[in-house]
Amino acid sequence: MPSLVGKSVLLIISGGIAAYKSLELIRLLRKNGASVRCVLTKGGSEFVTPLSVAALSEHPVYTDLFSLKDESEMGHIRLSREADLIVVAPASANLLSKMANGIADDLASTTLLASNKPIMVAPAMNPEMWAKPATQRNIDTLRKDGVYIVDPAHGEMACGETGRGRMIEATEILQSIENFLEASSPLSGFSALVTSGPTYEPIDPVRFIGNRSSGKQGHAIATALARAGATVTLVTGPVSLPDPVGVQTIHVETAHEMRDACLNALPSDLAVCAAAVADWRVKAPPEHKMKKQAGSAPPALNFTENPDILAMISSHQNRPKLVIGFAAETENARTAAQEKLIRKGCDWIIANQVGITEFPVFGSDHNQVTLVTRSICDDWPPLSKQEVATRLVDAIINHIKNTGSDQNDNAATGHPNFSTAV
Ligand code: CTP
């Protein structure tokens, strides 16, 4: 799999002849699976055009702090928050100076100041400018602030002078990005199985019984696990969502198909069963469409129970070390979840109350859940489904860090503020 699948990079291109190398960097990042958004400073746009940057990144280019269009599409705060890594290449002496001094007077410098993400800079300037005490002071400050500097190379400059100041090649910046992101992939080397969406159980060849699950929560969890570096297999029922980038996605319809796909995906280090699997299926769906008979009563459907996939995974000989289920309840979510945890033999349950009118969960982009383990109930505040996914992955990482391969429920409390004893 390409090295940067599921990763997103915000590339800030400032003014300098080396900006042409950034076009190659965008191409290489995309080729390796990363999604790339770009900010072009006024100086940068003197060297490369917004059109070529947009064409290569396949996203609009952001240039202006006060552009109503840019801000309404993706504001500078969101730009700075959605990337896994911000790369400034080339980083001019001027932009480095602004960064070191907290100046925010254009989109690039404001985005950098507003960011809570790791920042990597690839300086590019004339050797005299690089050697000046002012620049070196700024570089020292940035290093102390935690900015990752990829030092410029020695060689002949575009201006004809020779010395240190050339921006390193795009392939070398790519390598630094890969190394950096690999080190920040805590689930690298872990495999994860995720189920998502509803199942459709046929009544006859044209009709089925389904449910309201949109798959948004399960897909968000698969994406968040992949972003954390896990190798993810997603088994999904029929949904109208695109397959998550960098996730091996298997499409199924019925509970039986979902069970087969899940058992095929074992062994796996962890499993998250977020699918709303139909509890029952029609015992013997007819081969042909059922027809209305004039004057006769509606047909009676004869049901039989579907396999419980979560319980099967929990008791499998290749049981994942951590098995997480969901519990969609319309009343007493906590109590029902605790009972389900024991009955199904999983380690954690994410319980959510569904069907209440003030907070509909099915199809919504939000969720309010409780993480239930054998020893704790941890109420999370209302969050977007992406945030629930990120928080769950954080709890998984915490658990793995605290326990190694052992099971220890208390490690799930990554967010003690919300913990309440059972
Ligand atoms: N689940 C499963 N296979 C089934 C039914 C449920 O894997 N046949 C999993 C779901 O993916 C979820 C958990 O079991 O992780 C609980 O699902 P839920 O529908 O809340 O529970 P049910 O077992 O269906 O119990 P009930 O409908 O009685 O609440």
Side-chain angles (χ1 to χ4, degrees), residues 273 275 277-279 307-310 325-329 340 343-344:
C273 293
V277 185
D279 289 322
D308 190 312
I309 301 166
L310 175 59
F326 269 71
E329 306 294 344
K340 233 169 236 181
R343 177 160 50 88
K344 302 204 180 203

Side-chain angles (χ1 to χ4, degrees), residues 13 19 32 42 123 155 205 220 252 274 310 333 345 358 421:
I13 305 172
N32 282 278
K42 198 159 175 296
V252 297
L310 175 59
E358 330 79 87

Side-chain angles (χ1 to χ4, degrees), residues 11 104 147 207 335:
L11 177 63
V147 173
R207 303 178 179 95
T335 323

Side-chain angles (χ1 to χ4, degrees), residues 102-118:
I103 294 171
D105 65 353
D106 63 1
L107 180 61
S109 52
T110 307
T111 303
L112 286 159
L113 194 61
S115 166
N116 59 355
K117 291 295 157 85

Side-chain angles (χ1 to χ4, degrees), residues 12 149 158 163 184 222 232 236 250 257 289 305 337 385 409 411-412:
I12 296 180
I149 318 275
S184 62
V232 184
T236 177
I250 300 168
E257 290 167 2
K289 183 183 171 193
E305 203 166 318
K385 287 183 175 172
D409 299 328

